[in-house]
Amino acid sequence: MEQLVPLGREGPSGSSTSDSSILCIFFDLETTGLHLPFAEVIELASVARVLSMGGSWEQPGRDNSPMVFRTLVAPSCKKLPKKIERITGISGASLAEHGVDFHSALSLWNTWLRAAAERARNERGVRDVWLVGHNVFDYDLPLLLAQDLRVRRR
């Protein structure tokens, strides 16, 4: 079951914005494994969609071009397990060639999130932003926090 995490629930004057469309940012992580103390993010991906008041899905901008984010993240391990390559479709070679460090990936995602929210606000009048993911509280957010802590300690 997907979990919804509200990022912004009030309008500029503090009034409720439940009567307006909602920008939904769907995100997913691919990782080196499931064990939080050791797992590392190898891909961070998101797509932005606006849920209109009428219940239909729209792109954030009026031109209807999709807003998609994807970045590969270079793990600290030298060799990506074959099982992870099979499951994710991401090769160690592509991570070595295209992967960025963890904090750069978060910074790029943050920039993209802000741009998506600004575009939806300016072009669609959207004020509410929801971050949507599967197993967010039990895995994704704890993993992001654990990896951030590990990276900062290095």
Side-chain angles (χ1 to χ4, degrees), residues 24-28 45-49 59 66-69 109 112:
C24 297
I25 305 288
F26 298 89
F27 84 102
D28 188 38
S46 287
V47 63
R49 295 289 184 272
Q59 300 294 345
M67 286 202 71
V68 177
F69 175 85
W109 191 40
W112 180 87

Side-chain angles (χ1 to χ4, degrees), residues 13-86:
S13 64
S15 62
S16 172
T17 60
S18 61
D19 59 342
S20 68
S21 298
I22 300 169
L23 175 64
C24 297
I25 305 288
F26 298 89
F27 84 102
D28 188 38
L29 304 176
E30 297 297 343
T31 67
T32 59
L34 296 175
H35 192 57
L36 287 175
F38 304 106
E40 294 183 59
V41 175
I42 57 173
E43 181 184 52
L44 175 55
S46 287
V47 63
R49 295 289 184 272
V50 173
L51 179 59
S52 73
M53 290 185 294
S56 64
W57 289 100
E58 303 168 350
Q59 300 294 345
R62 293 231 179 260
D63 65 357
N64 283 321
S65 62
M67 286 202 71
V68 177
F69 175 85
R70 178 180 183 248
T71 190
L72 295 177
V73 183
S76 63
C77 61
K78 300 294 182 208
K79 186 167 172 46
L80 191 63
K82 291 290 183 196
K83 179 179 180 180
I84 299 301
E85 286 187 357
R86 271 193 319 277

